[in-house]
Amino acid sequence: MSLLALKGASFSFHPSNSTPDNNFPFPSTSFPVSTIKCSPFSQKSCRNGNWVSLRIRFLAKSDTNSKQQLPRETLAPSTDGSSSSSTATSFLSVLCPLLKLFSGGDPSQERNYVLEAATSSLSTFARLPWGSRSLLESFDKSETTSDSFKHLQLFEFETCPFCRRVREALTELDLSAEVYPCPKGSVRHREMVRNFGGKEQFPFLVDPNTGISMYESGDIVKYLFQQYGKGRSPSMGLLESTLFTGWVPTILRAGRGMTKWERARPDPPSEKLELFSFENNQYARIVREALCELELPYILQNVGAGSHRTNLLLELSGSQEVPFLVDPNTGARIGSYKNILAYLFTTYSAAAI
């Protein structure tokens, strides 16, 4: 359970037989009602910059083959005229093996922390000023801090520059999110995205508060600012700089947070871990990489400068320093990134089962 008592719907998708329907752009999928856990999605999607209603198809099968209805939202294709995410996916498929050759090897082994801090600090410098502070400190945040507000759900992987763009926007809007890491070799979260969205592309956002689900980082950022920005618009730098400096952390960090660790525990913990972080913090980045390599879902509590969560972090840790990890499964509360790394790779390795 989240320390902020904000509890979003989680997913548990199981593919089943389905009947094709040519009226929809993505393959239809049946979901066993007895196993699915998700919020009821509304009839909305993005088209030409406007949020419009779409037709809903009802397809469901229970474990006992009884007919029950479950709404499934149809996603409209991105209309921003950009194929940057698809291009990035193709480029990453080539870059990933190359970066792995230069990476530090087994992420659970002893590291050169001087080098780790140096490359992550350079990555932070490359992405200044984005993802470091809340832009909404002077606005009323009652909407996103109320008990009825559900966490956004983000499917991504740490090394992807377009996923980074969305995380930067989350920091600037002071939004928390459930993060479902999708590293190469993912055994759970990538299948969830394929089953729900129809294709394996990242980032993928689900907002259970409005029923919106969408691909394309640029569309996601614009949506987040439109919905939660209190009248603000994303800066041109946030949207455009990714193509120029967004790749710097990916290259400098030699692909950390890109591939699932081969000795990671196969099953997720019963409760999500909770990480206090902000996107452009050099030490929090290293922890998020580890969470991705372990494919551990977690609640991202953004605490950029001006965040309303600063007092909560101070109460929990006695400090405003990030990263700070809370593990409700073991009761652990850890502040140093080095200690967090040691804890994660010890506790969530297959050998620890």
Side-chain angles (χ1 to χ4, degrees):
M1 180 178 289
S2 166
L3 293 169
L4 293 179
L6 298 174
K7 191 172 182 181
S10 59
F11 292 98
S12 179
F13 292 107
H14 299 265
S16 180
N17 294 330
S18 61
T19 304
D21 187 337
N22 294 329
N23 293 326
F24 295 89
F26 298 125
S28 303
T29 304
S30 298
F31 300 97
V33 172
S34 59
T35 56
I36 193 167
K37 299 177 182 178
C38 64
S39 59
F41 295 117
S42 68
Q43 306 177 43
K44 298 179 182 177
S45 189
C46 179
R47 182 173 296 159
N48 295 326
N50 298 313
W51 304 109
V52 299
S53 295
L54 294 177
R55 296 172 56 191
I56 295 294
R57 176 177 186 176
F58 294 91
L59 257 183
K61 290 185 179 180
S62 69
D63 289 344
T64 58
N65 294 322
S66 62
K67 294 183 179 179
Q68 303 183 46
Q69 290 187 330
L70 178 71
R72 181 180 185 274
E73 179 182 355
T74 305
L75 300 175
S78 172
T79 56
D80 62 357
S82 170
S83 60
S84 57
S85 293
S86 300
T87 303
T89 301
S90 301
F91 182 61
L92 280 173
S93 65
V94 176
L95 184 63
C96 285
L98 295 177
L99 288 176
K100 193 171 183 180
L101 294 175
F102 298 97
S103 68
D106 189 335
S108 67
Q109 299 302 308
E110 186 68 23
R111 305 186 183 198
N112 182 336
Y113 286 111
V114 173
L115 182 61
E116 292 278 307
T119 56
S120 190
S121 296
L122 288 173
S123 300
T124 293
F125 181 77
R127 292 303 298 156
L128 286 175
W130 302 287
S132 297
R133 63 179 298 107
S134 168
L135 301 180
L136 306 182
E137 54 187 304
S138 61
F139 288 87
D140 175 27
K141 299 173 184 174
S142 57
E143 177 185 359
T144 58
T145 57
S146 67
D147 291 343
S148 61
F149 185 80
K150 298 179 178 66
H151 283 129
L152 304 173
Q153 296 154 347
L154 179 63
F155 294 79
E156 52 89 67
F157 60 103
E158 178 65 28
T159 197
C160 170
F162 296 96
C163 299
R164 184 174 298 115
R165 172 193 276 169
V166 174
R167 296 194 306 268
E168 289 170 347
L170 290 173
T171 293
E172 295 188 355
L173 293 171
D174 204 20
L175 291 169
S176 292
E178 290 180 2
V179 176
Y180 296 86
C182 301
K184 291 181 68 67
S186 164
V187 297
R188 296 186 299 272
H189 300 155
R190 288 193 174 222
E191 181 180 4
M192 291 165 65
V193 173
R194 287 195 301 270
N195 287 341
F196 183 69
K199 57 182 176 180
E200 190 175 301
Q201 179 179 308
F202 307 98
F204 180 65
L205 179 80
V206 176
D207 186 348
N209 302 286
T210 63
I212 294 297
S213 57
M214 59 197 311
Y215 295 99
E216 298 294 342
S217 62
D219 289 342
I220 292 172
V221 169
K222 292 174 186 176
Y223 164 75
L224 290 174
F225 271 84
Q226 176 182 322
Q227 187 68 27
Y228 302 110
K230 306 295 184 182
R232 283 181 175 263
S233 298
S235 68
M236 185 62 66
L238 176 61
L239 290 174
E240 302 301 331
S241 65
T242 298
L243 297 175
F244 302 100
T245 63
W247 296 95
V248 175
T250 301
I251 296 171
L252 286 175
R253 295 297 299 150
R256 290 285 195 190
M258 176 175 59
T259 306
K260 188 173 185 289
W261 185 41
E262 59 185 10
R263 296 202 297 277
R265 180 186 292 189
D267 299 317
S270 58
E271 294 188 63
K272 294 180 181 66
L273 282 65
E274 201 156 358
L275 179 67
F276 288 80
S277 165
F278 62 87
E279 174 57 29
N280 213 18
N281 180 272
Q282 66 269 39
Y283 303 117
R285 176 183 293 107
I286 298 172
V287 171
R288 292 195 309 269
E289 290 168 351
L291 289 168
C292 189
E293 290 166 337
L294 289 163
E295 202 184 357
L296 287 173
Y298 63 97
I299 298 174
L300 175 64
Q301 302 285 17
N302 274 307
V303 283
S307 170
H308 74 279
R309 298 180 190 85
T310 301
N311 289 337
L312 176 61
L313 175 60
L314 185 61
E315 178 183 339
L316 289 171
S317 68
S319 168
Q320 296 183 16
E321 297 298 318
V322 296
F324 184 74
L325 182 78
V326 177
D327 188 346
N329 302 283
T330 63
R333 296 183 177 187
I334 312 170
S336 165
Y337 83 96
K338 297 177 184 178
N339 293 338
I340 294 175
L341 290 180
Y343 169 81
L344 289 174
F345 285 108
T346 299
T347 306
Y348 291 103
S349 71
I353 299 177

